[in-house]
Amino acid sequence: MAVNVSTNYASRILSGSSDTFASIFQDGCMEIRTGPQPAGANAAVTGSLIARISRDGVPWVAGSPDGGLRFTAADRYMSKDPTHVWRLIGLGTGTAGWFRLIANAYDDGGDSLILPRIDGVVGLVGGGDVQLFLPSLGITPSTDITIESWVYGIPPLD
């Protein structure tokens, strides 16, 4: 699959409001799940939640800034804030297949047109059309991986 964005995220970015990627997803997290991603980011999650990426590996809780991810903008690209350490912490056992970036609001993973979300593929470092590279796709509760970089681009990506 590819990168999929939710209706809420797309409408907020394209509406001309003051919303930015960084403000929409500030203090959110990335959930890592097994199997193929759903057809769109408005759709309910598929697969099992096996890991979460947060700042410093702190357990993430919706509504709290603790452990929340932060981003930096450069032209058409958003990236991991280089002053922060992002860590993937295993929550279960399985093979990473896809991720969902969620905002710092309660998101039960069900169908939604009102929550900002971005879905993408997880793959091995050096892989092809992948939005999150990991050194291993096998995740267990003892997995602890530092995420060195992450970039999201708005097309065209010349």
Side-chain angles (χ1 to χ4, degrees):
M1 297 280 303
V3 175
N4 291 318
V5 301
S6 67
T7 300
N8 176 279
Y9 167 71
S11 65
R12 288 172 69 179
I13 287 294
L14 298 173
S15 71
S17 74
S18 61
D19 284 337
T20 65
F21 180 101
S23 68
I24 293 169
F25 291 107
Q26 179 172 314
D27 294 327
C29 75
M30 266 188 216
E31 296 181 336
I32 310 300
R33 296 187 168 270
T34 60
Q37 69 191 84
N42 293 330
V45 295
T46 57
S48 299
L49 176 63
I50 56 171
R52 186 171 282 130
I53 298 173
S54 66
R55 188 175 67 244
D56 298 322
V58 172
W60 182 85
V61 177
S64 170
D66 297 341
L69 302 177
R70 300 282 175 95
F71 305 89
T72 301
D75 298 320
R76 295 186 313 257
Y77 299 93
M78 294 303 304
S79 62
K80 167 193 161 305
D81 183 326
T83 66
H84 292 170
V85 176
W86 288 14
R87 288 179 40 211
L88 179 151
I89 303 297
L91 303 172
T93 300
T95 302
W98 68 283
F99 73 85
R100 176 165 281 175
L101 174 62
I102 60 175
N104 188 11
Y106 178 73
D107 184 342
D108 67 2
D111 291 329
S112 176
L113 294 174
I114 61 169
L115 292 168
R117 301 168 169 167
I118 296 177
D119 294 349
V121 177
V122 176
L124 293 173
V125 172
D129 187 16
V130 172
Q131 290 78 50
L132 177 64
F133 293 103
L134 297 177
S136 171
L137 299 182
I139 305 291
T140 69
S142 63
T143 301
D144 184 340
I145 299 170
T146 298
I147 305 300
E148 299 295 336
S149 66
W150 182 80
V151 177
Y152 170 80
I154 298 172
L157 305 176
D158 299 334

